[in-house]
Amino acid sequence: MENHRIIYLDNNATTRVDPEVFRAMEPFFCERYGNPSSIHRFGGEVAGDIEAARCRVAELLGAGFRDRDGIATEIIFTSCGTEGDNAAINAAFAARPGRNKLVTSAVEHPGVLAYARELIRRGRQVEFIPVDHCGRLDLEKLAAAIDDNTAVVSLMWANNETGTIFPVAEAARMAHARGALFHTDAVQAAGKVPINLDGTEIDFLSISGHKLHAPKGIGVLFVRRGIRFTPLIYGGHQERMRRGGTENVASIIALGRACEMARLALPDETRELARIRDRFEAALLAEIPRIRINGDLDNRLPNTSSVSFECIEGESILMLLDQFGICASSGSACTTGSLEPSHVLTAMGIPYHAAHGTIRFSLSKFNTEEEVDFVAATLPPIIARLRSISPYWEEQK
Ligand code: PLP
């Protein structure tokens, strides 16, 4: 692949580390490598750099609280988005000891869904709120599900497969009205849409560095001040006793810089991403019959395009795209040897013959109009070729 041009349209899976972010983290490997917990100045200075990064993260999230020392104590650094999701739900149950129920949605990331299933095994009650064919949350069912036994409601800000945005601010108010806490997995939303936590009642929010041009293996959990926080990981006194383990210093610095860059670029970048994405979708719709764009088209992430090509398999499309150096994802997962449509597409009721041929294209600031035009021109012959050998296409014609 080395001499081959790569067109990377899989940014909801992970993003390229921004070279500027990489430069910001570099000194923390071989030069400024002190332990922030050390008494000596060499380590102590690193602790200061961590606090500066913490403030930058808080600024992206619109979390304005600073303690007497000017520290954004609502921000806890974690190892990833998944840890933040688990830690938030765990802490919420600890903060609402008399309550036994989690309310979440059917389309969450496994960071929440797999933990929810584990909680069921441990005797907790979990209710999964359905979505409609556009992936929109059923707010009436949500209202009915939140009761006096609900400790926590956990809903993603934006869906990783379709980009559909949930009304999390409204859901947080609904949770509070019944005395429950509210967590949102904002892993896909952070850096792509504005977030202003101070204007909401959200109690916990998790993000992940590698979705916004920082490295893999770093995340953040926001915990609103005043909420009693029980850690998931016990150890040293790091993160004010809320997350044991020596800090991943270089990645924390990187995440701080990535958040700063995202905040400064947000409005322009969002507009440009949506423009390129919409141009891409318009080209596909004009050139390829029997396709559909999935998700809430009026309210979704600007970078995400989930496209169902009817009567063919997503994996075959991906393999042919790969020959052109084009990277995307399918909406299927391999379970017990057969390709099953993802839980998200299944929950949306996307018919089998469409769900099977679903590809997620997800853009970043590094993509160009020329790249998406190339992909849009490459796809029609690929789809025509696959349909010509698809018995299902013949049947459906
Ligand atoms: N939540 C969502 C919505 C995601 O898309 C992802 C990653 O794909 C995660 C959580 C998990 O983040 P991480 O890979 O940092 O654990």
Side-chain angles (χ1 to χ4, degrees):
M1 274 286 173
E2 234 165 303
N3 295 322
H4 203 73
R5 174 164 93 139
I6 293 292
I7 297 183
Y8 188 77
L9 300 186
D10 202 10
N11 287 281
N12 286 9
T14 197
T15 59
R16 173 187 179 199
V17 173
D18 189 303
E20 214 172 297
V21 168
F22 183 61
R23 273 196 293 280
M25 76 189 287
E26 249 186 318
F28 292 85
F29 289 101
C30 300
E31 294 150 40
R32 300 168 66 82
Y33 54 83
N35 188 325
S37 299
S38 296
I39 297 293
H40 46 71
R41 215 173 346 134
F42 185 59
E45 280 172 4
V46 174
D49 294 324
I50 289 181
E51 295 318 330
R54 201 185 303 280
C55 277
R56 290 190 181 118
V57 174
E59 278 168 19
L60 177 68
L61 301 179
F65 175 75
R66 304 288 178 269
D67 75 358
R68 260 176 287 140
D69 301 319
I71 291 173
T73 50
E74 293 177 316
I75 303 298
I76 302 175
F77 288 110
T78 63
S79 69
C80 59
T82 301
E83 184 191 326
D85 290 346
N86 280 227
I89 295 169
N90 176 65
F93 273 113
R96 290 286 180 276
R99 296 172 174 230
N100 196 39
K101 183 173 170 185
L102 161 68
V103 174
T104 186
S105 86
V107 296
E108 298 296 312
H109 185 271
V112 168
L113 276 188
Y115 193 57
R117 284 195 287 271
E118 171 58 21
L119 290 175
I120 293 171
R121 276 191 289 275
R122 293 183 198 170
R124 300 283 189 195
Q125 192 189 342
V126 181
E127 194 160 337
F128 300 93
I129 307 302
V131 295
D132 69 8
H133 64 287
C134 292
R136 289 175 300 213
L137 198 68
D138 187 328
L139 280 176
E140 271 177 31
K141 289 219 166 79
L142 177 66
I146 307 171
D147 57 19
D148 294 345
N149 189 34
T150 305
V152 54
V153 178
S154 177
L155 295 169
M156 64 204 319
W157 195 300
N159 188 272
N160 43 303
E161 289 191 34
T162 65
T164 299
I165 292 173
F166 278 170
V168 284
E170 190 180 344
R173 285 195 296 273
M174 289 161 74
H176 280 185
R178 303 303 297 261
L181 292 167
F182 186 83
H183 163 250
T184 183
D185 173 339
V187 166
Q188 292 294 346
K192 296 178 191 154
V193 290
I195 294 180
N196 179 17
L197 281 169
D198 286 347
T200 74
E201 296 185 19
I202 292 166
D203 301 299
F204 302 94
L205 172 144
S206 27
I207 71 169
S208 173
H210 72 108
K211 311 289 185 179
L212 70 157
H213 305 291
K216 297 158 189 66
I218 185 70
V220 152
L221 177 62
F222 160 89
V223 181
R224 193 171 294 280
R225 70 183 174 281
I227 292 175
R228 188 162 55 83
F229 183 77
T230 302
L232 190 63
I233 296 178
Y234 290 86
H237 58 264
Q238 294 90 356
E239 298 299 283
R240 290 162 192 81
M241 309 288 289
R242 294 177 298 176
R243 203 278 183 182
T246 301
E247 297 87 341
N248 182 355
V249 176
S251 293
I252 288 173
I253 304 304
L255 181 54
R257 182 73 184 113
C259 286
E260 185 179 39
M261 291 178 74
R263 178 174 59 82
L264 295 174
L266 234 180
D268 295 340
E269 213 167 276
T270 302
R271 224 175 298 119
E272 179 59 7
L273 279 172
R275 188 186 70 77
I276 300 184
R277 188 268 318 269
D278 293 348
R279 177 185 168 95
F280 173 67
E281 290 182 347
L284 295 188
L285 287 165
E287 291 299 323
I288 308 175
R290 305 272 302 267
I291 65 173
R292 50 175 98 193
I293 313 289
N294 302 307
D296 183 354
L297 302 192
D298 298 325
N299 194 19
R300 62 181 167 146
L301 293 176
N303 78 319
T304 306
S305 179
S306 167
V307 187
S308 293
F309 301 89
E310 292 183 12
C311 304
I312 39 181
E313 284 220 335
E315 265 55 31
S316 312
I317 306 172
L318 287 184
M319 267 154 45
L320 294 181
L321 285 175
D322 194 43
Q323 293 179 1
F324 292 89
I326 299 167
C327 309
S329 283
S330 82
S332 325
C334 190
T335 44
T336 59
S338 70
L339 288 169
E340 289 302 324
S342 75
H343 68 286
V344 176
L345 299 172
T346 304
M348 289 165 66
I350 306 290
Y352 201 74
H353 70 281
H356 252 283
T358 300
I359 303 289
R360 177 190 68 188
F361 302 94
S362 47
L363 280 55
S364 84
K365 62 181 177 181
F366 292 117
N367 291 121
T368 62
E369 191 174 294
E370 186 239 324
E371 284 182 326
V372 299
D373 285 354
F374 177 75
V375 179
T378 306
L379 270 164
I382 287 180
I383 303 304
R385 183 170 145 203
L386 290 173
R387 281 178 175 166
S388 73
I389 53 170
S390 158
Y392 205 56
W393 176 250
E394 280 304 312
E395 264 170 48
Q396 295 265 319
K397 261 207 300 207

